[in-house]
Amino acid sequence: MDALRVGIAGLGTVGAEVVRVIERQQRTLAARCGRPIRVVAVTARSKTKKRGLDLRGIAWAKSPLALATDPNIDCFVELIGGAGDPAGPAIEAALAAGKSVVTANKALVAKHGLKLAALAEKHAVALNYEAAVGAAIPVIKTLREGLAGTDIERVYGILNGTCNYILTRMEQEGLSFDACLADAQRLGYAEADPTFDIDGHDTAQKLSILASLAFGTKVSESSVYVEGIRSITPEDLRAADDLGYRVKLLGVAVRTAKGIEQRVHPTMVPKASSIAQVMGVTNAVSIDGDGIAPITLVGAGAGSAATASAVVADIADVARGIRAEPFGRPVAKLAAISKAPMQRHEGGYYLRLLARDHAGTAATIATRLAEQEISIESIVQRHAASTTDGAGTPAKSSPVPVILITYATSEDAVRRAIQAVQRDKVISGRPQVIRIEKN
Ligand code: HSE
C-alpha cells in the first residue's frame, strides 16, 4: 500500500520529536499500519533554527496554510498551538481539502472543536487530537471508543502537569510556590504564559473536551467553573496531610440531578485514593461509569516525548484508515450542555479561617455554620509558631488558624455561612475554602 504522506506544521520540541519518532519507528509503524508513514513536508517559523533534525528530502512549505493544501500530503499535523491564526485557518483549509488532521492543540479543540468536527464530517476525514489532553495517556480513545457502550457518570483528574508538579514539591519539600513554578518552567512543563496553567485554564480546556466525550454534549469551555492554585499555602498542604488528605488541582465533570457540573479547583482527595498517589508532572484521569468500577489512567501528561507518542498514534490511525467522529458521535447528535450551577454543588469542604483568639469565636463560627445546616466533621485550632510567645504559649491577641472539615453540604450554604462569619468580625483575612472530592 502507498505510504501515508504527512506534513507537519510547527517544529518546536513536540514537532521535532514527532519527526524523530516517525523516522525511528518506521518499521514498527509500517508493520502496525500495513503501510509506511513518511514525513514529506514541514513548515515552521524559522527555517534556519538548529533542531538536530535531518530534514534532507523533506520539502519546506512557505506557510502552514500552504502546507495544509499541498497536494503532496494526505495528513496535516498541526503542532503550532493557539486557538487562532495560523493554526485554525490551516486546519480548516486542510479539512476542506479532504486531508485528515492531527493536532495537539487543546485550545483550538476546546474553542472551535465543533466547527472543525463538522468540517471533518462533511469531508469524511479524520480530526484526531489525542495529544490535546493528558499527552501520552490515551484518554480520548478510551472515552470515545473503549467506553462507547458505557454510561459515564463522572470523569475527573489531574490534567495539568505544572500544577501537580508545583503542589507535589510544595508538599514534599516545603518549597515556595514561586520556586516550584520557576523549576516547572525550566523543565518545559509550563505553557508559554504559566498563568494559563496555575490559574486552571489549561485544565478547564482539557476538561471541557473530556466532558463532551463522556456525556455526548457540545464542548463548552465557558461552562467550566475555574479556580487555580495560587491561593494554596504550605499550611493548607500540612493541614491536609494531618487530616488524611492531599491537595490536587482537579478537573471534575459529573452528571448530577441538576445538570452537568464542570469544575476546576484545588481539591482535597483522600490520601488512600488512586488520584492522591499521582505526583510530580504525571497526569491521571479517573472515569466512573455504569458497571465498570472506576478506571484510572495514569501517565506523562506533558513533555515532548509523551506528546509525540499520542500524535504519532493519531497519525497511525489515519494510516490505518480508522476514522472516528471527533467527539464520538456526529456533531448534530451532540446535546447542548445543561449546566449545573456551581452554587448548588454538594460535597464536603475544608475551611481555614484566621480567627480572633477570643472567648466565643468558635461558638460564633459553629452557630453560623449550623444556621446553614452545615455539619462539622472536625475542627482544629492551630497555633502557628509565629503566634506563640518564647515559651510556646499562644499569644492571646494574635489571630489563629481554625481549620474545619464539613460533612456534605452545598456551595451556597458554605458561602452564606462564611459571609455571616465575616460580618461578625471574628475572622480576618481571606477565608480559604477547598472542596473535598471523595472517590
Ligand atoms: N502546560 C501543560 C501542563 C502541558 O503543565 O500539563 C500539557 O498540556
Side-chain angles (χ1 to χ4, degrees):
M1 214 173 163
D2 288 347
L4 179 82
R5 299 166 304 166
V6 173
I8 300 179
L11 290 176
T13 54
V14 175
E17 187 60 15
V18 169
V19 175
R20 276 184 217 109
V21 173
I22 291 177
E23 171 66 23
R24 196 168 65 231
Q25 295 284 77
Q26 52 179 303
R27 278 165 193 267
T28 307
L29 285 166
R32 287 179 177 161
C33 303
R35 64 193 288 205
I37 294 174
R38 287 217 176 90
V39 178
V40 297
V42 293
T43 187
R45 263 203 307 251
S46 159
K47 195 171 176 179
T48 50
K49 188 177 159 187
K50 295 253 176 303
R51 300 181 172 93
L53 287 179
D54 181 1
L55 295 176
R56 281 173 301 177
I58 298 179
W60 188 276
K62 71 175 191 316
S63 69
L65 205 56
L67 180 61
T69 51
D70 182 343
N72 293 318
I73 69 160
D74 309 305
C75 174
F76 177 67
V77 179
E78 182 275 311
L79 299 169
I80 304 163
D85 203 16
I91 289 182
E92 284 185 43
L95 295 170
K99 297 177 197 306
S100 285
V101 168
V102 171
T103 178
N105 192 330
K106 68 211 145 199
L108 192 65
V109 176
K111 290 185 192 305
H112 306 298
L114 294 177
K115 184 173 79 175
L116 298 176
L119 203 52
E121 253 175 55
K122 184 173 162 199
H123 295 276
V125 289
L127 169 65
N128 295 342
Y129 54 88
E130 185 63 69
V133 183
I137 304 174
V139 63
I140 305 295
K141 225 178 224 303
T142 300
L143 286 168
R144 188 174 58 196
E145 287 137 68
L147 296 173
T150 303
D151 261 340
I152 294 168
E153 287 141 24
R154 179 172 66 155
V155 52
Y156 66 103
I158 296 169
L159 301 174
N160 185 269
T162 300
C163 287
N164 206 47
Y165 174 86
I166 291 173
L167 291 171
T168 300
R169 293 203 60 204
M170 282 175 74
E171 180 194 321
Q172 294 184 336
E173 298 170 54
L175 294 174
S176 73
F177 177 87
D178 290 337
C180 299
L181 173 59
D183 279 354
Q185 286 179 287
R186 190 175 48 76
L187 292 165
Y189 305 143
E191 299 296 309
D193 173 4
T195 58
F196 196 70
D197 293 295
I198 59 186
D199 291 337
H201 302 295
D202 177 80
T203 303
Q205 287 185 339
K206 293 168 179 169
L207 182 71
S208 67
I209 296 169
L210 297 185
S212 168
L213 290 160
F215 304 122
T217 48
K218 293 183 178 160
V219 186
S220 177
E221 187 192 351
S222 61
S223 303
V224 185
Y225 172 85
V226 190
E227 269 177 36
I229 61 166
R230 279 180 207 265
S231 72
I232 301 298
T233 65
E235 192 178 16
D236 293 318
L237 300 179
R238 272 196 304 276
D241 186 43
D242 291 349
L243 293 160
Y245 292 94
R246 278 209 173 103
V247 179
K248 299 289 182 190
L249 183 78
L250 288 196
V252 183
V254 57
R255 197 194 285 282
T256 75
K258 298 153 212 149
I260 290 170
E261 273 185 11
Q262 294 185 87
R263 46 192 167 82
V264 172
H265 47 71
T267 311
M268 302 236 308
V269 291
K271 258 196 246 177
S273 62
S274 349
I275 215 93
Q277 317 310 316
V278 178
M279 306 304 257
V281 72
T282 307
N283 281 198
V285 184
S286 281
I287 305 162
D288 298 342
D290 192 20
I292 56 166
I295 291 174
T296 300
L297 304 169
V298 181
S304 56
T307 310
S309 160
V311 170
V312 174
D314 275 351
I315 297 171
D317 271 356
V318 175
R320 288 172 166 134
I322 296 172
R323 185 177 77 81
E325 301 298 353
F327 293 99
R329 60 185 78 187
V331 171
K333 301 259 185 224
L334 292 167
I337 203 154
S338 139
K339 178 183 165 186
M342 192 58 196
Q343 59 274 29
R344 298 188 66 193
H345 164 71
E346 286 181 6
Y349 284 77
Y350 157 102
L351 309 177
R352 179 169 53 77
L353 309 172
L354 207 49
R356 281 171 47 188
D357 201 5
H358 286 169
T361 294
T364 304
I365 294 170
T367 303
R368 294 307 188 190
L369 292 170
E371 282 168 4
Q372 299 302 326
E373 296 182 26
I374 299 172
S375 181
I376 299 169
E377 187 181 301
S378 69
I379 177 164
V380 190
Q381 181 169 308
R382 297 166 78 94
H383 284 279
S386 57
T387 60
T388 60
D389 63 19
T393 310
K396 280 259 162 41
S397 52
S398 322
V400 287
V402 172
I403 288 162
L404 298 116
I405 299 283
T406 77
Y407 285 109
T409 178
S410 74
E411 179 93 8
D412 213 18
V414 170
R415 298 279 162 208
R416 278 201 300 263
I418 288 176
Q419 279 163 13
V421 173
Q422 284 176 314
R423 278 196 301 273
D424 292 332
K425 300 201 171 10
V426 293
I427 60 168
S428 55
R430 186 184 154 281
Q432 176 67 291
V433 177
I434 305 180
R435 296 165 194 87
I436 299 173
E437 191 81 16
K438 301 274 186 194
N439 50 340

